[in-house]
Amino acid sequence: MGTPAGETSNAKDNVGDAVANDQAIDQPDGLTPKNKYGKYKKNLKEKIFDWTHKKSPKSRTDSDSSTQTLTYEEYLKLRRISEAGQQLISLEEKLYDCVHGSEDQEEALKEEEELKVAYETFSQELWTTIAAGVTLSGEELKQLASAVCSIEQEEERDKKCLEEKERNWRIPQWRPRECRKKLDTVLQEAVEQRMEEIPKVKEAEKLSSIKQDIFKMGKRLKEDLVSVVMNVKGCYPEGYDICNVYAKLYHTTFSSRLKEIVEFGLRQEDCSYVLGWVHNYYQNDILKHRDLEKEIDGKSLGSLLPEDVIKQLESQYLSNRECEIKQWLSNAVGNEVTKWMEGEIPEQVDGFYHSEIAIDVIQCIEGAVKEAKEVLDKEFGNMMRLFMCALLECLERYKKTLEDFIKAKEKYKNCAAVIKANMFNCKQFRDYFEKINESFEAEDKEKCLSILSGLEDTGYRYLADLMHLPLKPSYKVLVTQEWLTCSNPVMDTILDLAEKHIQEFSKLKPCCFQELLKRLHFEVIAEYTKRIMKKKIKLKYEEQQKAMAEKICDDSRKIQELFTRYESKEEWLHHVLPKVAEVIKLQDPSMIVLETATLVRDYPDISKKHLSALLYIKANLPSKDAKSVKKVLQLKNEDLNICRSAKPFFALVPV
């Protein structure tokens, strides 16, 4: 505190004293002559030295130098800034106590100027330490804490000086120093410099120049904020909220640099990279980093770019990405089709025919969806619709190309191998669409699955025909007098030929082989049932009907043995022929009605025409009883416990 102007005090004279108890000292060599107060004039440096070397009576011996207070210069050299600053403040207080009662104003002003210069040197050390905050660690953090403490000291001194000024006392020309306000400017300049002077990083060597710049800034920002939280935070009082102060400065600087980059225009890959930082990397990898999330208020920072700039970038991304996706999908199908047309046999992987179409298309879509999630916000839904439109076009083209290829099968010797390879593509596509529960609308997924169903039907029908058509001539002998008299083992011939063709499909993927086997199994049973309904045979006697029923059951067992050997999963087909045979075998009209009811219950798609054709075989069944049997169909929706989960069968067997 100063003393009112005009008041004198002996305290003013001890600024240059060497000891605290005001003992006189001999005049050192080189001191200037005595001034009017009887004291030797000393320059400011000597006064600082004197002040910092005062000792208590217990610490005056040369042998106990370890308890000596360090000089201002020594404190400053050791970066013990708060101690150095406190010495300047103390000297300032004493100087101005003297100035207020001094008659030698010229000398006082000179000393004041010297102290001002000392403060300038001190300030340089103070702000250099503050600016280097994020780069400091270990013992260096003590220097930062000392610098922050000095700011608090300066703020307190400013407050006292302003109080003195209100009482019309003279205060130093450098007061108030406003170090808290200066702190914001120093930190801002330090952050801008940190974000400007970034060396190349190895991880970004292969990126474009724009991506390298953004990556380096993002990496520097993250590392520095982690340093703030882990190191710098502990050097500042809680009221400074230093973590959020730094976060705001880095955010503002990074945002400003991004705006400059965007203004020059971006290529597609750079556009997506910028959007990735705006919507994903900055938010998730930095602000939600485990060390930063609890210390930094990320929501208050806002977006890295203005909304209108983001909208412009997203529009550019959508337009270019749609064209790219369509081209990629077109190439994925087109490259494979070219190979088919040139007669190339598909490669084999693990002994099975293989095609890359599904893999390429799915990877293309997956990659595009993943990137879209990272770089888009409000436009993500629009991007997904564009992707789905492109995918539907791709699948439609794929389906038509495969259908046209099959129609021209006579031209291509590789047709069977190509279809075998592509059936597994269908399986991969189906698994993909059934698995995804997000990104795409359910309606769009159903459209894709519908296209795939058509494609699968086309492919498997072609492959099944390769197996089934050679059996057609032998089917014509079934359910005839020749067949019934066992003069020709028709079923054995059919099944031997069927097995031969089944073995030819060993290079079909197991899941696809099972699908094909299922279809062949169905067609054999359906063809056999169709032959029963052909009305080629009419039997008057019970023994004949029982013999026919037994023959049907015997053939059914042979069919079951063959398809069980190849692990067909269609076990429900094993029961069709025996149940039909049971109706043929029974003679009691009431029992026939009951068995027919069972048949209708298990196969609700059986029609009146099917029953009429079946009863045609039973020539000894009176017409009135036949009518009673047919009436069962009228009851199937009322009194019968219809099997609602029954698979369609008779509806696929024409009469």
Side-chain angles (χ1 to χ4, degrees):
M1 297 284 292
T3 305
E7 185 178 324
T8 61
S9 173
N10 291 333
K12 304 167 191 167
D13 300 333
N14 68 355
V15 176
D17 290 351
V19 292
N21 59 2
D22 293 326
Q23 291 181 350
I25 60 170
D26 296 331
Q27 177 182 341
D29 293 338
L31 285 183
T32 55
K34 293 181 180 180
N35 62 22
K36 64 182 357 179
Y37 297 105
K39 298 295 183 182
Y40 294 101
K41 293 193 289 184
K42 302 181 180 182
N43 60 33
L44 184 66
K45 185 175 180 180
E46 291 167 338
K47 290 180 179 181
I48 294 174
F49 179 87
D50 288 345
W51 174 253
T52 59
H53 277 71
K54 289 183 179 182
K55 305 173 190 171
S56 65
K58 294 182 180 180
S59 61
R60 292 183 61 193
T61 61
D62 294 336
S63 60
D64 194 14
S65 59
S66 61
T67 61
Q68 290 182 349
T69 304
L70 299 177
T71 67
Y72 161 78
E73 288 85 353
E74 288 171 335
Y75 274 134
L76 210 56
K77 186 175 181 181
L78 292 172
R79 297 287 181 87
R80 291 172 64 175
I81 297 173
S82 63
E83 288 94 332
Q86 185 59 58
Q87 289 187 358
L88 288 184
I89 289 173
S90 297
L91 185 59
E92 177 186 311
E93 290 175 340
K94 289 189 172 292
L95 174 63
Y96 274 82
D97 281 347
C98 294
V99 166
H100 293 141
S102 174
E103 297 180 7
D104 190 348
Q105 292 297 317
E106 183 178 347
E107 179 64 22
L109 290 174
K110 182 179 179 182
E111 292 177 350
E112 182 180 21
E113 188 63 29
E114 290 175 346
L115 186 56
K116 178 183 177 183
V117 172
Y119 262 118
E120 290 174 353
T121 303
F122 167 76
S123 294
Q124 185 175 357
E125 292 293 333
L126 168 65
W127 298 121
T128 298
T129 303
I130 292 292
V134 296
T135 66
L136 303 179
S137 61
E139 289 296 314
E140 296 172 326
L141 294 173
K142 292 181 180 179
Q143 302 169 11
L144 178 61
S146 180
V148 174
C149 181
S150 184
I151 292 175
E152 291 288 283
Q153 293 170 180
E154 291 295 323
E155 287 291 295
E156 185 64 28
R157 177 59 181 159
D158 279 351
K159 182 179 179 182
K160 290 180 180 180
C161 285
L162 291 175
E163 290 173 355
E164 292 175 355
K165 185 176 181 181
E166 288 178 358
R167 295 199 292 269
N168 295 321
W169 290 3
R170 184 184 171 202
I171 64 172
Q173 56 181 298
W174 54 84
R175 295 289 177 187
R177 299 189 67 212
E178 297 183 321
C179 287
R180 275 297 297 269
K181 187 181 295 185
K182 173 72 172 177
L183 174 66
D184 295 337
T185 303
V186 171
L187 292 180
Q188 180 179 344
E189 292 174 352
V191 167
E192 290 175 352
Q193 186 175 6
R194 289 284 295 168
M195 294 290 278
E196 182 71 33
E197 300 174 357
I198 309 175
K200 291 183 177 181
V201 290
K202 190 174 182 180
E203 304 98 300
E205 286 180 351
K206 296 183 179 180
L207 300 178
S208 68
S209 59
I210 288 178
K211 287 183 180 179
Q212 284 189 36
D213 289 343
I214 297 173
F215 180 84
K216 289 190 300 181
M217 287 190 290
K219 187 173 187 291
R220 171 59 60 84
L221 183 151
K222 180 179 181 180
E223 291 173 349
D224 283 4
L225 286 184
V226 169
S227 176
V228 168
V229 170
M230 304 303 291
N231 299 324
V232 176
K233 176 188 172 186
C235 299
Y236 282 82
E238 186 175 345
Y240 280 65
D241 194 19
I242 196 63
C243 293
N244 282 305
V245 169
Y246 265 109
K248 182 65 176 177
L249 291 172
Y250 274 100
H251 174 91
T252 302
T253 305
F254 193 23
S255 174
S256 177
R257 300 289 163 79
L258 281 182
K259 289 176 190 174
E260 293 174 3
I261 291 172
V262 170
E263 286 175 358
F264 285 98
L266 299 173
R267 295 181 301 171
Q268 177 66 3
E269 61 174 296
D270 294 328
C271 175
S272 63
Y273 194 71
V274 170
L275 287 172
W277 271 97
V278 171
H279 292 314
N280 182 34
Y281 314 135
Y282 182 64
Q283 299 294 331
N284 298 319
D285 295 350
I286 296 179
L287 297 184
K288 292 184 180 179
H289 185 276
R290 63 180 182 276
D291 294 328
L292 304 180
E293 189 172 16
K294 293 181 180 180
E295 302 294 339
I296 293 175
D297 182 8
K299 291 183 180 180
S300 68
L301 296 177
S303 177
L304 280 173
L305 290 175
E307 192 65 32
D308 60 324
V309 176
I310 293 175
K311 188 174 182 179
Q312 176 187 343
L313 291 176
E314 289 187 342
S315 177
Q316 175 186 337
Y317 176 84
L318 285 174
S319 177
N320 292 335
R321 199 59 167 157
E322 181 184 13
C323 294
E324 290 176 352
I325 291 296
K326 287 183 176 180
Q327 187 61 51
W328 290 344
L329 295 178
S330 177
N331 291 342
V333 175
N335 292 340
E336 286 288 305
V337 171
T338 299
K339 296 176 183 178
W340 307 346
M341 300 300 183
E342 292 175 352
E344 185 175 321
I345 302 293
E347 66 173 325
Q348 294 185 37
V349 176
D350 297 329
F352 305 111
Y353 286 124
H354 178 75
S355 170
E356 294 286 330
I357 288 180
I359 295 174
D360 291 344
V361 170
I362 291 172
Q363 285 181 347
C364 173
I365 293 297
E366 283 281 270
V369 170
K370 180 181 178 182
E371 183 183 89
K373 286 181 179 179
E374 293 176 349
V375 306
L376 295 178
D377 184 20
K378 296 179 181 178
E379 293 293 336
F380 178 73
N382 290 335
M383 187 77 265
M384 291 303 97
R385 283 187 283 276
L386 292 176
F387 284 170
M388 183 52 73
C389 288
L391 186 54
L392 286 168
E393 289 178 13
C394 173
L395 290 177
E396 287 283 12
R397 180 189 172 201
Y398 178 39
K399 178 175 177 287
K400 186 177 186 309
T401 301
L402 209 59
E403 290 173 343
D404 292 343
F405 188 71
I406 290 174
K407 288 178 182 178
K409 56 182 177 292
E410 301 300 330
K411 292 172 53 178
Y412 303 107
K413 294 181 180 180
N414 63 340
C415 188
V418 167
I419 302 305
K420 290 175 185 177
N422 279 277
M423 288 303 94
F424 187 59
N425 281 335
C426 294
K427 178 67 167 58
Q428 289 176 301
F429 277 129
R430 182 171 292 280
D431 289 346
Y432 173 69
F433 288 117
E434 289 177 346
K435 179 185 66 177
I436 54 176
N437 296 318
E438 55 183 22
S439 303
F440 297 116
E441 298 289 340
E443 182 180 353
D444 291 331
K445 286 168 57 177
E446 288 302 318
K447 289 179 181 178
C448 289
L449 290 171
S450 176
I451 295 172
L452 284 176
S453 294
L455 200 159
E456 287 170 329
D457 285 340
T458 299
Y460 282 119
R461 186 167 60 249
Y462 166 76
L463 295 176
D465 285 346
L466 293 180
M467 302 171 70
H468 199 241
L469 289 178
L471 308 180
K472 288 284 187 179
S474 299
Y475 284 142
K476 293 181 180 181
V477 185
L478 285 174
V479 196
T480 62
Q481 288 295 338
E482 180 183 355
W483 163 79
L484 188 58
T485 58
C486 296
S487 58
N488 186 4
V490 180
M491 203 66 240
D492 293 341
T493 302
I494 291 174
L495 295 180
D496 287 345
L497 191 57
E499 184 166 21
K500 177 184 176 183
H501 287 291
I502 288 173
Q503 291 172 350
E504 291 176 357
F505 285 83
S506 60
K507 291 184 179 179
L508 198 61
K509 281 277 188 176
C511 57
C512 300
F513 176 80
Q514 282 300 320
E515 178 64 28
L516 182 61
L517 190 69
K518 176 181 77 173
R519 291 170 182 255
L520 180 62
H521 192 175
F522 181 92
E523 290 186 8
V524 170
I525 298 296
E527 188 66 31
Y528 199 115
T529 306
K530 179 182 176 182
R531 297 304 301 177
I532 294 174
M533 307 293 173
K534 279 284 187 180
K535 300 182 180 180
K536 293 291 185 180
I537 192 170
K538 193 171 186 178
L539 305 174
K540 295 181 179 180
Y541 304 108
E542 178 181 349
E543 292 78 10
Q544 291 175 316
Q545 293 174 19
K546 287 183 177 181
M548 180 178 178
E550 186 177 341
K551 184 71 172 177
I552 293 173
C553 289
D554 186 49
D555 286 347
S556 178
R557 282 191 295 271
K558 292 178 180 179
I559 296 171
Q560 180 177 342
E561 287 175 3
L562 173 65
F563 286 98
T564 300
R565 189 158 62 247
Y566 287 95
E567 300 180 351
S568 171
K569 305 297 188 296
E570 302 301 291
E571 295 181 358
W572 68 278
L573 290 171
H574 299 329
H575 308 294
V576 176
L577 294 178
K579 289 182 179 180
V580 171
E582 191 65 19
V583 175
I584 296 173
K585 174 185 174 182
L586 293 172
Q587 299 300 309
D588 185 336
S590 61
M591 295 301 294
I592 294 173
V593 170
L594 288 175
E595 192 58 37
T596 302
T598 300
L599 191 65
V600 172
R601 180 199 67 192
D602 294 340
Y603 308 102
D605 61 344
I606 193 169
S607 68
K608 186 176 180 180
K609 286 185 177 182
H610 290 110
L611 285 181
S612 297
L614 182 59
L615 296 177
Y616 175 84
I617 298 171
K618 302 176 72 64
N620 61 344
L621 183 67
S623 58
K624 64 173 184 174
D625 292 332
K627 288 181 181 179
S628 297
V629 172
K630 293 174 185 177
K631 285 182 180 179
V632 172
L633 289 173
Q634 299 174 8
L635 303 174
K636 69 177 181 180
N637 293 323
E638 301 173 8
D639 301 331
L640 297 180
N641 186 18
I642 298 298
C643 181
R644 302 298 177 186
S645 62
K647 296 181 180 180
F649 179 77
F650 282 96
L652 303 175
V653 178
V655 179

